[in-house]
Amino acid sequence: MLWFHPILQCLATLIAVYAAWLGLQRLLSRHFGMSLKFQWKRHVSMGAAALTLWLLGLFGGIAMARIKWEANFITGEHSQVALLMLPLLLFGLGSGLYMDRFKGQRTLLPLLHGVGNLLLLALAFYQIRTGWQVIQDFIL
């Protein structure tokens, strides 16, 4: 049962890498004059899937820690970084869905959306490292 959380989060991270790749194509075509097709709907669906899975994994991790160890936030840095990710997850999901629903010319919101989500991706890779330490300390 405890393996479900890391497997789900790794899957979400792989999906997020793909969504970031699609977003990079938008950046390159829009700001660097490269002739690339931006797959808007795929970017939105993959990004929403990754962010939603990360959110579910965050709350699932909290729930599993409570069930298994009868305590929360005992995983140290892993749980602290997860809580740091929470507002970024909500902003990434909210801003992405807002831009999808209300299309228009924007400058600042797409920049904040992209930077925030790239930060999330970096934090997710760091979470893999801290999560592996949690697995070694508490599960294996």
Side-chain angles (χ1 to χ4, degrees):
M1 177 76 172
L2 289 175
W3 287 100
F4 184 71
H5 171 76
I7 291 170
L8 178 71
Q9 296 304 76
C10 286
L11 174 64
T13 303
L14 289 174
I15 295 169
V17 167
Y18 181 57
W21 172 254
L22 294 171
L24 176 65
Q25 291 175 342
R26 171 70 167 180
L27 176 76
L28 293 174
S29 67
R30 178 120 179 161
H31 299 287
F32 294 96
M34 297 179 87
S35 181
L36 298 169
K37 183 178 184 224
F38 178 53
Q39 299 176 33
W40 182 284
K41 290 184 184 213
R42 184 170 291 171
H43 174 72
V44 171
S45 63
M46 293 295 107
L51 293 168
T52 301
L53 286 173
W54 274 337
L55 271 173
L56 289 172
L58 189 152
F59 291 115
I62 290 171
M64 282 198 281
R66 172 62 70 180
I67 291 166
K68 179 69 176 173
W69 302 306
E70 298 179 359
N72 288 112
F73 312 112
I74 62 169
T75 58
E77 210 170 347
H78 189 70
S79 58
Q80 292 168 356
V81 172
L83 291 178
L84 177 68
M85 291 174 74
L86 182 58
L88 290 169
L89 288 166
L90 296 174
F91 176 75
L93 197 55
S95 62
L97 293 175
Y98 178 84
M99 288 188 291
D100 183 49
R101 180 164 172 139
F102 303 104
K103 293 170 180 56
Q105 292 292 322
R106 296 182 183 87
T107 304
L108 185 58
L109 188 57
L111 176 66
L112 293 174
H113 174 79
V115 169
N117 287 340
L118 284 176
L119 179 57
L120 273 171
L121 194 53
L123 290 170
F125 281 114
Y126 184 70
Q127 285 292 77
I128 291 171
R129 182 173 166 244
T130 62
W132 180 248
Q133 190 61 50
V134 169
I135 289 169
Q136 290 177 325
D137 292 346
F138 293 99
I139 298 174
L140 297 180

